[in-house]
Amino acid sequence: MKKLTAFIFLLAMTLSVSAQTQWEKPTEEETQRYALYERKKEIPAKYMQGGVPEVDGKVTWTKTYKVEGKSAEDIYNNALGYFSGLVKSGNQTDKSALAGVNRAEHKILVRAQEWLTFAKKALYLDQTKMNYAVSVECSDGECKVLITNISYRYEEGRPSEMHYTAEDMIADKVAFNKKGNGFTKGGTKKFRMATIDRMEQILNDLGTALK
């Protein structure tokens, strides 16, 4: 009887706290997304070596979209529409903005700072601020995109606050053990996996917007 009473009390307290905050039940996708962190789980190939691209030693995602039948102006307008929405989306901070546009040359520069979430559960939220820069160049039938200068601000405002660059945190040379068949200890894995997922999402969403 004492155990049942204690359980009811704990449940009531949890519901009370939830009602007084903006915590909400995580979606199924959020619940499952990082279940891969559990030991003895096979890690998908996209997170392993080669999953984080580099250009001249700097973590950089690049992609060239072929958009047949569309002019540079049309492609530029679609790309501008996508990134105008991205910098105002819910996970962005007030530091995200279109840093520069050149309609004559069909170029766009974006400066972004957003919340990257690792885990979200009742009364628990693990996330970091992620900064990155995007460069877009459009021409007839083609759009070239480059995402680089990725960095993180983790545990901001706490004594444990830390700043990392992508090169220090998620690059192949720092993310894996000497054998290259497993992640190093610490938070490298969650930063790498979440960043790969986010870059993939941005590039896929842009591809849809350009069609």
Side-chain angles (χ1 to χ4, degrees):
M1 184 66 182
K2 290 183 178 180
K3 290 183 178 180
L4 178 59
T5 302
F7 174 78
I8 294 174
F9 176 77
L10 179 60
L11 179 61
M13 288 296 292
T14 301
L15 293 175
S16 176
V17 171
S18 298
Q20 296 173 23
T21 68
Q22 296 184 7
W23 291 104
E24 56 189 41
K25 185 177 181 180
T27 65
E28 182 66 20
E29 180 182 359
E30 291 168 338
T31 301
Q32 296 297 325
R33 185 178 184 189
Y34 295 109
L36 296 168
Y37 290 167
E38 296 176 13
R39 292 183 178 180
K40 299 181 180 180
K41 291 282 188 180
E42 183 177 351
I43 300 173
K46 74 173 184 175
Y47 300 120
M48 297 303 289
Q49 298 235 21
V52 173
E54 295 185 34
V55 176
D56 296 329
K58 193 171 185 65
V59 171
T60 304
W61 265 266
T62 62
K63 187 165 185 174
T64 298
Y65 300 87
K66 298 297 183 181
V67 193
E68 296 183 4
K70 288 199 174 184
S71 67
E73 182 72 11
D74 288 339
I75 297 171
Y76 168 85
N77 286 333
N78 287 344
L80 182 61
Y82 171 73
F83 284 108
S84 295
L86 182 143
V87 299
K88 296 178 182 178
S89 58
N91 64 331
Q92 303 291 316
T93 76
D94 58 5
K95 292 187 178 181
S96 294
L98 295 175
V101 295
N102 187 325
R103 182 171 292 277
E105 297 183 8
H106 307 111
K107 296 179 180 180
I108 305 167
L109 297 176
V110 180
R111 180 182 67 250
Q113 183 185 80
E114 65 180 54
W115 287 104
L116 187 66
T117 301
F118 304 129
K120 181 181 178 182
K121 300 178 182 179
L123 305 182
Y124 177 73
L125 180 63
D126 186 17
Q127 61 183 2
T128 184
K129 281 183 179 176
M130 179 173 69
N131 301 282
Y132 57 92
V134 185
S135 173
V136 182
E137 294 186 14
C138 306
S139 57
D140 291 341
E142 187 174 277
C143 179
K144 295 181 179 180
V145 180
L146 181 150
I147 306 176
T148 191
N149 293 337
I150 301 170
S151 63
Y152 312 92
R153 297 178 67 91
Y154 188 54
E155 300 282 346
E156 188 173 28
R158 301 179 182 178
S160 56
E161 179 176 338
M162 291 175 282
H163 301 175
Y164 303 106
T165 64
E167 292 72 31
D168 294 333
M169 179 56 68
I170 68 171
D172 283 357
K173 63 183 178 182
V174 298
F176 297 97
N177 58 27
K178 292 182 179 180
K179 293 183 179 180
N181 59 1
F183 289 107
T184 53
K185 294 181 179 180
T188 298
K189 180 165 61 173
K190 66 183 181 182
F191 278 84
R192 183 180 174 92
M193 294 172 74
T195 302
I196 290 173
D197 285 348
R198 180 55 177 154
M199 293 299 111
E200 185 178 78
Q201 180 185 22
I202 291 172
L203 294 174
N204 287 343
D205 289 349
L206 175 59
T208 299
L210 293 177
K211 293 180 181 179

